[in-house]
């Protein structure tokens, strides 16, 4: 992805593991809510709020993929990549049907970025286009300097995302493994959760590596296999 164009190019496919159907949550209604929103049936503004590791980026990309599948033009922008020059980054996104702006925390407190976002929000709203935001906190908890932007964000439908417990994280890994046709013993999943940390992004990346190692060795992923192939720095 070129540094001058931080949004996901429309010609690229969204990551196949980041779909609404691959998102595991204790809220059974959440995927359906995102499905409707991505297809233009769920309002004009949605704000996903949750701590790191709760699936905000997954859902942002999944909503864009769902919109794209429905024939709508979608774009994804990780705001951390555009901090300090947000106005420039948003310029090419005005004509899209859905824009996912991931990580409001990265631009909160930057006056010029907030002004650019405020005007972009108004322009999208007036055109009847959809905006999906993510943040680690609600608008009142973000260090915003522009009251009008805080007011606009507060008008969005807010969805809180909770951290998964170990059972939920284990189910996410099993789901990801099944989609890849990867054979992973339940004991191996439990072993990973106990020894390789609980951050889902890191665990998913580790599972990708194990997939390659398993294929090369022609072995299923078991606890003995994990002990053989993982380096000490992979474990806590």
């Amino acid at each position: 992805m070129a540094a001058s164009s931080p949004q996901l190019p429309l010609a690229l496919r969204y990551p196949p593991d980041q779909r609404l159907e691959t998102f595991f949550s204790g809220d059974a209604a959440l995927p359906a809510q995102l499905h409707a929103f991505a297809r233009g049936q769920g309002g004009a503004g949605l704000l996903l709020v949750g701590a790191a590791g709760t699936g905000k980026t997954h859902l942002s990309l999944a909503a864009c993929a769902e919109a794209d599948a429905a024939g709508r033009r979608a774009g994804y922008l990780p705001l951390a990549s555009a901090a300090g020059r947000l106005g420039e980054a948003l310029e090419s996104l005005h004509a899209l049907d859905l824009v996912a702006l991931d990580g409001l925390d990265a631009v909160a407190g930057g006056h010029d970025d907030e002004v650019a976002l405020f005007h972009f929000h108004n322009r999208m709203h007036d055109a009847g286009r959809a905006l999906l935001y993510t943040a680690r906190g609600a608008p009142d908890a973000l260090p915003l300097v522009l009251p009008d932007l805080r007011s606009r964000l507060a008008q969005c439908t807010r969805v809180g995302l909770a951290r998964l417990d170990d059972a939920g994280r284990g189910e996410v890994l099993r789901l990801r493994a099944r989609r890849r046709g990867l054979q992973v013993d339940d004991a191996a999943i439990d072993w990973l959760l106990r020894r390789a940390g609980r951050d889902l992004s890191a665990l998913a990346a580790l599972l990708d590596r194990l997939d390659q190692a398993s294929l090369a060795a022609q072995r299923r992923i078991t606890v003995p296999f994990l002990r053989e192939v993982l380096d000490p720095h992979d474990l806590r």
Side-chain angles (χ1 to χ4, degrees):
M1 191 178 301
S4 62
S5 182
Q7 71 271 15
L8 189 68
L10 297 181
L12 296 183
R13 293 184 180 274
Y14 294 94
D17 286 320
Q18 292 174 312
R19 295 288 192 270
L20 294 178
E21 61 268 24
T22 65
F23 185 78
F24 182 84
S25 168
D27 182 358
L30 182 56
Q33 182 179 6
L34 265 294
H35 180 276
F37 180 80
R39 291 175 174 261
Q41 303 160 3
L46 186 65
L47 173 61
L48 304 179
V49 177
T54 52
K56 298 186 297 296
T57 295
H58 182 130
L59 289 174
S60 297
L61 291 167
C64 288
E66 188 68 32
D68 187 66
R72 306 183 76 214
R73 297 166 299 170
Y76 167 80
L77 178 64
L79 291 175
S81 71
R85 56 185 184 89
L86 186 54
E88 175 189 349
L90 293 172
E91 195 59 39
S92 63
L93 304 180
H94 289 95
L96 302 181
D97 300 304
L98 169 72
V99 176
L101 300 175
D102 190 11
L104 283 169
D105 317 77
V107 297
H111 180 269
D112 291 347
D113 283 349
E114 288 192 23
V115 170
L117 186 54
F118 172 74
H119 289 304
F120 181 75
H121 180 104
N122 289 340
R123 187 169 173 180
M124 292 287 286
H125 181 272
D126 292 346
R129 299 188 171 104
L131 275 169
L132 189 157
Y133 295 103
T134 79
R136 294 191 180 187
D140 287 345
L142 296 175
L144 299 167
V145 298
L146 198 65
D148 286 341
L149 176 59
R150 190 187 305 276
S151 175
R152 296 295 188 275
L153 293 173
Q155 293 169 6
C156 296
T157 300
R158 192 186 311 170
V159 176
L161 303 176
R163 287 184 182 275
L164 293 174
D165 57 15
D166 278 355
R169 281 185 282 268
E171 188 56 36
V172 169
L173 292 180
R174 291 183 183 91
L175 178 61
R176 191 181 182 102
R178 284 197 298 269
R179 285 179 59 84
R180 289 173 168 268
L182 186 60
Q183 294 184 323
V184 184
D185 287 358
D186 285 344
I189 295 288
D190 295 338
W191 192 92
L192 281 173
L193 290 172
R194 290 195 306 271
R195 291 174 173 81
R198 288 173 165 80
D199 179 77
L200 270 177
S201 296
L203 285 169
L206 185 57
L207 189 64
D208 290 343
R209 287 173 47 203
L210 291 170
D211 185 4
Q212 296 175 4
S214 171
L215 183 62
Q218 292 296 296
R219 291 173 59 186
R220 66 184 295 126
I221 297 177
T222 62
V223 172
F225 180 75
L226 294 176
R227 289 189 172 123
E228 287 179 28
V229 301
L230 292 182
D231 297 324
H233 73 264
D234 292 319
L235 308 176
R236 293 187 300 178

